[in-house]
Amino acid sequence: MHPLITPEALSDALSARPATVVLDVRWRLGGPPGRQDYEVSHVPGAVYVDLDTELSAPPGVGGRHPLPDPGLLQEVLRRAGVREGGHVVAYDAGDGSVAARVWWLLRWAGYGEVAVLDGGFAAWEAAGLPVTAEVPVPPTGDAAGDVVVRPGQMPVLEADEAAALAQEGVLLDARAAARYRGETEPVDPKAGHIPGALNAPTTGHVGGDGRWLGAAELAERFEGIGVSGGVAVGAYCGSGVTASSVVLALEVAGITSAEKPAALYAGSWSNWCALDREVATGA
């Protein structure tokens, strides 16, 4: 399954068999909760999943959005109706950087048939496709979820490994340039970046219409940042969420592959700060 899907293709997939499970993961840093948007309007049949409480472990030294407990993640996915042999599509309110967390988590859990809705909910509405406020009834019987979470299927970096990769390979910082340079830091206790990391803001993955750039354009962008084929590459952000979209973008660009994906520093900057590691500032 290609990691990106258009609204039109998703609309067709909703009537196909095996059924496609759609997960709404709209979320804003600092709120209000995305569930409020979901209750007003969402893709028909979509199930809301909360980033803070269902796709992450409680915050702490591990970061603001540590990886969830595998058993609890399995429960969340089964309640949503995710089945072995089926398909999952996730969408958010913007550029796919939050939905990419679902894409990455399912891949980490050993579930390969997952994609991000290109352009998010805005693109679905712009295409004139139907929306609803009706919350679907959790599936039961033969339709109930049976997915088995098998964690560890995507490479994950700890702080020491991220520090080494920034010096020996390429470590990409997915945050906005001002946060990377240390000019501002609205969330974490320190401003700046991991020494040696290169800045690759998630906003650069998409065009003016909110849709993802093509493979060639993404490859050109990463090459301009300093990513070259054959070099080990990883990504981080503030808390490990939006950096998932960098992992996805590298795969779409053809720089990495499903068999050899980029690594994710799951704790990211929030974990780096909690460990009181060295900080670099400037361009």
Side-chain angles (χ1 to χ4, degrees), residues 27-140:
W27 175 86
R28 301 179 188 87
L29 182 63
R35 184 178 292 277
Q36 295 178 7
D37 294 334
Y38 171 80
E39 292 173 349
V40 172
S41 180
H42 55 262
V43 173
V47 177
Y48 184 78
V49 182
D50 185 69
L51 170 66
D52 293 320
T53 61
E54 296 181 303
L55 299 178
S56 308
V61 175
R64 285 185 281 110
H65 290 109
L67 298 184
D69 174 82
L72 295 179
L73 176 62
Q74 180 171 289
E75 291 179 13
V76 168
L77 296 176
R78 287 188 173 186
R79 283 200 303 269
V82 179
R83 295 186 58 80
E84 296 287 342
H87 300 86
V88 174
V89 173
Y91 69 86
D92 55 31
D95 59 8
S97 58
V98 178
R101 167 76 168 213
V102 177
W103 173 84
W104 188 92
L105 272 177
L106 283 169
R107 291 273 296 272
W108 172 78
Y111 193 92
E113 298 301 309
V114 57
V116 169
L117 178 61
D118 190 3
F121 188 64
W124 179 270
E125 288 190 302
L129 294 167
V131 297
T132 184
E134 182 179 352
V135 177
V137 177
T140 58

Side-chain angles (χ1 to χ4, degrees), residues 170-174 180 196-202 204-205 217-228 233-234 246 249-250 255:
V170 176
L171 181 65
L172 298 174
D173 185 319
Y180 169 83
L198 304 176
N199 194 208
T202 57
H205 303 334
E217 292 174 289
L218 286 171
E220 182 179 2
R221 175 179 185 249
F222 284 120
E223 182 179 352
I225 293 171
V227 183
S228 58
V233 60
V246 176
L250 288 163
I255 295 172

Side-chain angles (χ1 to χ4, degrees), residues 132-259:
T132 184
E134 182 179 352
V135 177
V137 177
T140 58
D142 291 341
D146 65 358
V147 64
V148 176
V149 169
R150 304 173 180 86
Q153 307 306 309
M154 291 284 275
V156 178
L157 300 172
E158 299 296 336
D160 286 343
E161 295 167 316
L165 184 60
Q167 303 300 322
E168 301 165 2
V170 176
L171 181 65
L172 298 174
D173 185 319
R175 298 172 301 158
R179 291 181 71 185
Y180 169 83
R181 294 191 297 263
E183 297 167 2
T184 182
E185 180 46 64
V187 185
D188 294 305
K190 293 183 178 182
H193 59 268
I194 295 173
L198 304 176
N199 194 208
T202 57
T203 52
H205 303 334
V206 299
D209 60 355
R211 304 289 283 267
W212 278 60
L213 301 178
E217 292 174 289
L218 286 171
E220 182 179 2
R221 175 179 185 249
F222 284 120
E223 182 179 352
I225 293 171
V227 183
S228 58
V231 176
V233 60
Y236 76 98
C237 56
S239 66
V241 174
T242 60
S244 301
S245 72
V246 176
V247 177
L248 189 156
L250 288 163
E251 187 169 312
V252 172
I255 295 172
T256 61
S257 65
E259 294 72 30

